[in-house]
Amino acid sequence: MANQSGDRSTVQGSGRDAVEGVTTSGPVPDDQEIDVTLVLRRRAELPSASHASDPIDVAELAERYGADPADLQAVRSVVTDAGAHVLSEDPAGRRVMVRGTYAVLKKLFGVELTQARGDSGSFRMRTGELSVPTGFGGAVIAVLGLDDRDQARERFVHASAAATSYTPIQLGEIYHFPAGTDGTDQVVAIIELGGGYQQDDLDAYFTKLGVGSPAVTAVGVDGAENAPTGDANGPDGEVLLDIEVVGALAPKSQIKVYFAPNTDAGFLDAVTEAVHASPAPAAVSISWGQSEDQWTAQARTAMDAAFADAGALGVVVTTAAGDSGSSDSGVGVHCDFPSSSPNALSCGGTSLQATDTTVSSETVWNNGAGRGATGGGVSDAFPVPAYQASVGVPARKGGGAGRGVPDVAGVADPATGYQVRIDGTDTVIGGTSAVAPLWAALTARLVQATGRRFTDVHTTLYTGAVAGVVPEGFRDITSGKNGAYQAKRGWDACTGLGVPVGDALLARLKDA
């Protein structure tokens, strides 16, 4: 907390700007009920990833690094005394779910909410910072869900004219996914913030590929559910792309698709539910994101902490680096979040030309202004992590040092894209949205082959990486740029360490 005054404290990093280009219609009605996610501090800090050993389980996470029982009690007391209700408590995820009327919550959190309408529909909007009663004792580090504007965008691009396309199975062969692995006994979780899938589409697609139908389960979070729109250009495209890439490349894995509202609270809640599930997933794939500067600092911090939990539990979180080059659809140079989290495996994109398993060229994906390019750059929000200390991350464009994005890459150019089936139609899609599930499927197969889950995937992958050199298990991409950044030998801010050579990566993991 910061700026404590009297009986209230400002929630650090909670400041929010208004949404531009929307119509407002006055304050939210006092009797409107609103659900809020409160994120609490840890009772003890997690050990650094590089010092982690075997994965822990959720019970141990709660006991050692979750919310302190005294903090939970303090929050419960203040919330109920204010006239709101505690819906649930999650000590491991350090979350308290609260419901109250706007009349109660505006006093509890020092907030004014305005009704607004934009292209995506109506929503609640706030500006400025939040505050909480000092009775919380400094326990609350984030208050999410009061403002329910759309927080993230899908990261897929339809092909306008695909000269070349691949099935995910072909890409598994091109990238040398380890033979004799198929995801058996592994779980892969997928986060979705809209849309849905029809089982008929999945059955038809996987039957055509000859892999049968993988086990796919929809999990609802915060009232959301599998809700296909029938619009192949909408979020259904994201949902089906993600499932079909994972299911084709890890067909014997269990695929759990977590559907949540497209808000900061919904996004965090879905990630936390997925990461803390039992059995623990090998990987969580996220293909939704937004420029770092469009998130509150409290939401970024809460999400990054959830990804740190994932590492402790032995879960790899793969994220799409963005599809709008180094600007990330904004003005200037920006990274996409959550891909810029140092605890997420950030996945950039390439353009691939290959015949059978022979690659004739693979370059940075950049189809020109407004036509898609891989995200990548240097974070304005996170410092350089230890695993990138020697790989030559450039300075931020505004000066200073930051976490380099992405970590790894795979084909993302829709002109050399993925053959998928969306709402009854066979089509070709690209975008870094496809690379996150590709790496999630590879992770499941590596975990299957080694019998070990990753508690520190970054140090594992970056071991041996120095400026100008990538370690065994990667094919370096040295041609092309994404706007502000140029590919080069070794790690770069377009394709990271490069694209996978799965069998070589497995051999390195076994040696380690």
Side-chain angles (χ1 to χ4, degrees):
M1 295 298 168
N3 302 326
Q4 184 167 321
S5 176
D7 61 351
R8 300 192 68 81
S9 298
T10 300
V11 180
Q12 187 173 3
S14 63
R16 192 126 227 205
D17 295 329
V19 181
E20 297 181 359
V22 299
T23 302
T24 59
S25 55
V28 168
D30 277 351
D31 62 355
Q32 182 177 130
E33 287 197 324
I34 299 171
D35 290 353
V36 180
T37 297
L38 306 183
V39 183
L40 277 56
R41 63 190 173 190
R42 295 188 190 279
R43 62 195 305 180
E45 289 303 309
L46 285 167
S48 65
S50 60
H51 292 93
S53 54
D54 294 332
I56 62 176
D57 60 24
V58 173
E60 184 178 354
L61 181 72
E63 178 66 27
R64 299 177 63 183
Y65 309 111
D68 192 296
D71 284 348
L72 289 168
Q73 176 59 44
V75 170
R76 189 185 311 121
S77 297
V78 172
V79 166
T80 54
D81 288 348
H85 307 283
V86 173
L87 298 177
S88 63
E89 297 178 2
D90 172 19
R94 295 166 290 103
R95 296 176 302 151
V96 177
M97 316 297 284
V98 172
R99 176 175 293 165
T101 63
Y102 174 49
V104 169
L105 297 183
K106 66 182 175 183
K107 295 178 181 178
L108 184 58
F109 300 115
V111 66
E112 293 185 2
L113 296 175
T114 301
Q115 299 182 103
R117 174 170 286 277
D119 293 339
S120 61
S122 58
F123 58 94
R124 300 184 300 269
M125 180 175 70
R126 70 174 178 87
T127 58
E129 296 178 313
L130 300 172
S131 64
V132 294
T134 53
F136 281 154
V140 175
I141 60 173
V143 179
L144 307 178
L146 291 164
D147 182 316
D148 64 348
R149 71 185 72 182
D150 282 357
Q151 183 57 66
R153 302 189 302 267
E154 312 97 312
R155 296 307 189 194
F156 74 94
V157 182
H158 278 278
S160 54
T164 305
S165 62
Y166 309 92
T167 69
I169 292 174
Q170 289 172 323
L171 292 173
E173 294 169 348
I174 290 168
Y175 290 136
H176 297 277
F177 278 33
T181 61
D182 54 14
T184 294
D185 296 330
Q186 306 305 315
V187 176
V188 177
I190 299 172
I191 305 299
E192 302 294 356
L193 304 179
Y197 65 90
Q198 298 279 6
Q199 187 63 43
D200 287 350
D201 273 333
L202 300 182
D203 291 342
Y205 180 75
F206 291 122
T207 297
K208 184 177 179 179
L209 289 184
V211 297
S213 286
V216 181
T217 304
V219 181
V221 177
D222 294 352
E225 59 184 7
N226 176 25
T229 65
D231 179 7
N233 294 311
D236 288 2
E238 183 62 73
V239 175
L240 284 155
L241 170 66
D242 294 343
I243 296 172
E244 289 169 2
V245 171
V246 172
L249 289 170
K252 296 301 183 181
S253 64
Q254 297 180 50
I255 302 172
K256 294 185 178 180
V257 189
Y258 290 78
F259 290 95
N262 188 2
T263 65
D264 53 7
F267 204 159
L268 175 69
D269 291 340
V271 168
T272 304
E273 294 290 332
V275 165
H276 292 194
S278 182
V284 176
S285 176
I286 301 175
S287 295
W288 298 70
Q290 179 66 277
S291 178
E292 279 185 334
D293 62 332
Q294 297 301 305
W295 290 74
T296 61
Q298 63 164 359
R300 287 195 306 263
T301 299
M303 188 76 82
D304 179 59
F307 295 161
D309 284 353
L313 295 166
V315 179
V316 175
V317 180
T318 62
T319 56
D323 297 345
S324 300
S326 57
S327 73
D328 203 47
S329 297
V331 177
V333 178
H334 296 284
C335 287
D336 201 74
F337 185 83
S339 203
S340 65
S341 163
N343 289 297
L345 186 68
S346 177
C347 302
T350 67
S351 181
L352 170 69
Q353 295 292 338
T355 302
D356 296 326
T357 59
T358 301
V359 175
S360 55
S361 72
E362 191 160 13
T363 61
V364 175
W365 169 41
N366 189 343
N367 291 338
R371 293 185 292 163
T374 184
V378 182
S379 173
D380 290 321
F382 297 98
V384 180
Y387 57 80
Q388 288 186 327
S390 301
V391 299
V393 178
R396 294 170 177 147
K397 292 301 180 182
R403 186 268 205 266
V405 176
D407 297 305
V408 296
V411 61
D413 183 356
T416 64
Y418 295 66
Q419 297 172 22
V420 292
R421 183 179 180 86
I422 310 296
D423 292 333
T425 301
D426 293 333
T427 187
V428 175
I429 287 182
T432 54
S433 276
V435 190
L438 182 144
W439 269 92
L442 176 57
T443 299
R445 290 172 63 164
L446 292 172
V447 171
Q448 176 193 359
T450 61
R452 301 193 307 272
R453 296 208 311 274
F454 297 101
T455 54
D456 184 13
V457 68
H458 294 90
T459 297
T460 299
L461 296 181
Y462 276 86
T463 296
V466 295
V469 177
V470 299
E472 194 71 21
F474 292 93
R475 180 160 47 78
D476 203 358
I477 306 301
T478 59
S479 176
K481 61 182 181 179
N482 68 351
Y485 299 95
Q486 178 77 41
K488 59 183 178 63
R489 289 193 174 277
W491 181 92
D492 58 61
C494 299
T495 58
L497 296 170
V499 299
V501 182
D503 49 11
L505 186 55
L506 174 59
R508 180 157 72 90
L509 294 175
K510 286 184 172 180
D511 287 344

